[in-house]
Amino acid sequence: MTSSDDPTPTPQPDRPKYDDRAYRSVAGIVTGTLLIALSLWLGGDAVLRGSGRTPWLTLAGLLAALPLLAAFTIRPAVFAGEERLRIRNPFRTITVPWSAVEHLRAGYSTEVVAGGQRFQLWAIPVSLRARKRVARQTARAATATARQSSALNAPEIPPRAWSDQAVDELRELAETNAAKPGAQGEVSVRWAYEVIAPIITGAIVLAVLLVIG
């Protein structure tokens, strides 16, 4: 029998769920958008003004080229949540639970080693120029700091290159979340058939038109 004086358990509030962190190359998106716009402009002109087989060749070429351009420039992205890392590369989407991450590094390219496999992170390109620029800024700041008589007036050390910062953040997420129940599992890879199919179709149509011509 329960007494009225017994404390009632208070329900525990659910933990807030945060949106995944997204990493994308702004330069790649801008470049891809400009190239696609240029291709549509030139291709549209060829379709409207061309004669004979030109419009059909142009349409087939656009069908193959536009998804290819988008795949390498606009599509790449990396999404990091509390349970897993999702890598969207040009032709594949790789889902890596944090417990499966063995290593994250940024050398000449950024990559993750998981499940005995190595996957490149296309959305986080390494810029050697940016690294050199940051290294020069850091050296100048260190020299200025050594000349300061008071540590309170010491200039702030410049941050690291964007790709290195992103990899540091991903490493921290992997270390923090690897033991969570929802972060367990195996690496899964899915081919982006929605990108591959139009490229192959356009290439086949273009080849057929060139052969029969």
Side-chain angles (χ1 to χ4, degrees):
M1 185 172 182
T2 308
S3 168
S4 58
D5 295 332
D6 291 342
T8 12
T10 40
Q12 295 295 327
D14 294 335
R15 289 187 57 191
K17 291 187 177 181
Y18 300 98
D19 293 337
D20 291 355
R21 298 187 191 182
Y23 300 87
R24 304 188 73 176
S25 171
V26 176
I29 293 173
V30 171
T31 302
T33 303
L34 291 176
L35 288 175
I36 289 173
L38 181 62
S39 300
L40 288 173
W41 177 47
L42 296 176
D45 183 70
V47 170
L48 295 175
R49 299 173 183 270
S51 58
R53 294 187 308 142
T54 300
W56 298 107
L57 289 171
T58 303
L59 287 174
L62 289 175
L63 181 60
L66 294 182
L68 190 63
L69 288 173
F72 282 95
T73 56
I74 298 175
R75 175 179 160 81
V78 172
F79 302 98
E82 294 185 357
E83 299 179 347
R84 61 185 57 84
L85 176 69
R86 187 161 58 94
I87 306 162
R88 198 171 68 190
N89 281 345
F91 301 120
R92 296 190 300 176
T93 298
I94 303 104
T95 302
V96 184
W98 288 121
S99 64
V101 174
E102 300 169 18
H103 194 57
L104 275 157
R105 57 191 171 210
Y108 291 104
S109 64
T110 55
E111 56 188 24
V112 58
V113 179
Q117 303 179 72
R118 183 179 302 165
F119 304 102
Q120 187 173 348
L121 279 61
W122 282 76
I124 309 178
V126 171
S127 172
L128 298 180
R129 180 180 299 178
R131 280 183 176 170
K132 291 178 181 178
R133 183 173 62 250
V134 170
R136 289 195 298 267
Q137 293 174 354
T138 303
R140 285 197 296 266
T143 303
T145 301
R147 292 176 180 173
Q148 290 288 343
S149 57
S150 171
L152 295 176
N153 297 325
E156 184 180 354
I157 301 297
R160 303 179 68 193
W162 176 71
S163 58
D164 296 327
Q165 291 183 47
V167 169
D168 288 344
E169 292 176 5
L170 295 176
R171 283 184 188 141
E172 183 180 353
L173 285 171
E175 293 171 1
T176 304
N177 300 311
K180 292 183 178 179
Q184 310 306 309
E186 298 181 353
V187 178
S188 65
V189 179
R190 184 186 72 85
W191 287 94
Y193 294 107
E194 68 277 8
V195 176
I196 299 172
I199 295 174
I200 295 177
T201 303
I204 292 174
V205 173
L206 184 60
V208 170
L209 289 173
L210 290 174
V211 168
I212 65 175

